[in-house]
Amino acid sequence: MVDCTGGLALVLSGGAARAAYQAGVLRGIARIAPALAPEVLTGVSAGAINTAFLAASDQRFPATADALVDTWSRMSVERVFHVHGGALAWSVARWSTRLLAGKAGGTLRTRGMVDNTPLREFLHEALHADGERIPGISASLARGPLRSIAVTASSYTSGQSITWVQGHCPAGWERPHRRSLATELRVEHVLASAALPLFFPAVSVDREWYGDGGIRLTHPLSPAVHLGADRILAISVRSRPSLDPLRAPIDGGDGYPSPAQIVGQLHQAIFLDQFDADADQLRRTNRMVERMPADERGDLRKIDILVLRPSVDLGELAEQHEPKLPWMFRYLTRGLGTAESRGNDALSLVMFQRDYLEHLIELGEKDALARREDIERFLAP
């Protein structure tokens, strides 16, 4: 019988294209701790893609990290959604017609601004899927030491945050607006977790419609806590908020926020701020538990946490690579105002541009190696 208490959890946040940074961090960690073998893996949004990849691998950690880097290095805009002029123009026309047609527009099928069929095909290949099943996950759980993997999505049908759990440890927790379900993870679960609102189509799973897992996930560390981990190694894709540069308008503009800036701020608030807030709450709980007598702690326990994050703003990096985007896609994003200010958080989400992804991977590995002492100390027995 598997012991579901204690152990290390690897928690991967969301961030769409930014998740390439996590691949670089993991390769850096593999150079520092090649024997790393987490008992729990959890991920949300694009972090769910990396989580499923790690869980499905039958190789040791360094080889798995290298394979994940190779997967992201082969990623491109064309392998995520259709970008040829006809597809994008038709999508824009369809959405515009629906908005202008009023009630009659409800008869138009507008399932996402882009067609992400290429991403589904890419995931089947990367996860070595058998139909919708991911056999590698079951094999890893049987082999150990992995005991649980959790992927979170947001139900548009019920309005709840749903965490799907596969593994040996019980899944059945329920809190306001969030609950868990035991299941065998399939490609559709991963695709649902990574479905950016409006941009990607919602995904149907067991007769409910789901979108990006970060929408309603107010406590992104909670799956790892519920699954018994007493150490959490978390990889965020946001630099420290206090270090984010002041983004002045370009060409003497008045600084009024463009739609792209507003979408970027919404992304930060919904997907990334909660990650930092939850980590801070866990640290406060740890301090409280340390001050309590052991016989008064009840179910409370200390859970060590280490958060690794970018040393620079990934939105700023996206701006440097924007000129190399496919021309039609670049034309549309500039229409949303991506060229009106410095730093593009919204653009960084969909910048599945190979040179940008490679830049993120390189930065992630560099940042991990720069924190070698922290990582070695945290992972020490």
Side-chain angles (χ1 to χ4, degrees):
M1 187 173 181
V2 175
D3 183 4
C4 292
T5 59
L8 172 69
L10 179 63
V11 177
L12 304 179
S13 72
R18 292 182 176 215
Y21 173 82
Q22 296 173 345
V25 172
L26 290 169
R27 186 163 69 176
I29 294 175
R31 293 177 58 182
I32 298 169
L36 183 70
E39 287 83 359
V40 176
L41 293 171
T42 79
V44 60
S45 190
I49 295 175
N50 291 339
T51 296
F53 188 96
L54 295 174
S57 174
D58 61 356
Q59 303 180 87
R60 294 188 180 276
F61 182 57
T64 299
D66 285 340
L68 182 59
V69 165
D70 179 67
T71 297
W72 276 100
S73 297
R74 291 185 290 110
M75 188 80 79
S76 65
V77 179
E78 294 81 3
R79 302 200 73 171
V80 178
F81 50 86
H82 290 301
V83 294
H84 58 82
L88 290 176
W90 170 243
S91 178
V92 171
R94 189 172 67 247
W95 276 88
S96 300
T97 301
R98 172 155 189 169
L99 291 173
L100 295 173
K103 182 178 180 180
T107 61
L108 296 174
R109 297 173 69 87
T110 50
R111 296 189 173 183
M113 296 184 68
V114 297
D115 179 358
N116 67 337
T117 302
L119 177 60
R120 180 184 287 272
E121 296 170 352
F122 188 80
L123 289 179
H124 275 83
E125 173 192 335
L127 300 176
H128 304 290
D130 178 9
E132 286 293 306
R133 294 182 61 250
I134 310 174
I137 294 179
S138 297
S140 293
L141 290 167
R143 189 169 53 246
L146 181 67
R147 64 173 188 248
S148 295
I149 170 177
V151 167
T152 300
S154 301
S155 172
Y156 293 132
T157 306
S158 68
Q160 290 183 308
S161 175
I162 305 297
T163 298
W164 293 300
V165 179
Q166 181 177 350
H168 305 295
C169 300
W173 67 84
E174 186 167 353
R175 299 291 185 272
H177 308 299
R178 55 190 172 95
R179 61 193 176 97
S180 65
L181 296 172
T183 189
E184 180 184 13
L185 291 174
R186 305 186 296 273
V187 173
E188 60 192 18
H189 294 108
V190 179
L191 195 64
S193 181
L196 283 172
L198 297 180
F199 192 76
F200 288 160
V203 179
S204 177
V205 180
D206 299 329
R207 292 179 294 182
E208 285 194 40
W209 290 99
Y210 290 90
D212 197 295
I215 298 175
R216 299 193 64 93
L217 186 58
T218 55
H219 298 282
L221 301 179
S222 63
V225 175
H226 285 296
L227 291 170
D230 59 10
R231 290 182 298 160
I232 295 176
L233 177 59
I235 305 178
S236 174
V237 293
R238 180 181 182 178
S239 58
R240 292 188 182 278
S242 60
L243 299 181
D244 287 347
L246 179 64
R247 294 172 178 175
I250 292 176
D251 298 330
D254 63 2
Y256 189 84
S258 66
Q261 281 180 280
I262 295 172
V263 170
Q265 290 299 313
L266 286 173
H267 166 263
Q268 297 277 22
I270 296 173
F271 298 103
L272 301 181
D273 289 354
Q274 298 290 356
F275 196 84
D276 291 326
D278 207 20
D280 287 342
Q281 178 62 47
L282 183 58
R283 294 186 184 100
R284 287 194 295 270
T285 301
N286 284 339
R287 290 194 292 270
M288 180 184 69
V289 170
E290 288 174 344
R291 297 189 185 102
M292 295 174 64
D295 59 351
E296 296 180 9
R297 294 178 182 178
D299 293 334
L300 293 175
R301 68 183 191 279
K302 182 181 177 183
I303 302 173
D304 293 328
I305 181 169
L306 176 64
V307 179
L308 304 177
R309 63 177 70 250
S311 57
V312 300
D313 187 338
L314 302 189
E316 294 280 351
L317 289 185
E319 183 178 299
Q320 299 174 22
H321 296 273
E322 186 261 359
K324 295 184 180 180
L325 281 170
W327 73 269
M328 184 63 180
F329 188 61
R330 184 174 68 250
Y331 177 82
L332 294 174
T333 57
R334 287 186 176 182
L336 294 174
T338 57
E340 296 174 16
S341 64
R342 295 181 173 85
N344 284 297
D345 293 320
L347 184 61
S348 71
L349 300 180
V350 295
M351 179 70 83
F352 293 97
Q353 188 70 17
R354 190 161 297 177
D355 56 342
Y356 176 63
L357 299 178
E358 290 176 349
H359 197 158
L360 295 185
I361 292 168
E362 180 183 345
L363 176 65
E365 184 171 7
K366 178 181 176 182
D367 286 348
L369 294 176
R371 298 195 63 183
R372 174 186 290 271
E373 292 184 3
D374 293 333
I375 294 171
E376 289 177 337
R377 188 182 309 114
F378 181 79
L379 296 178

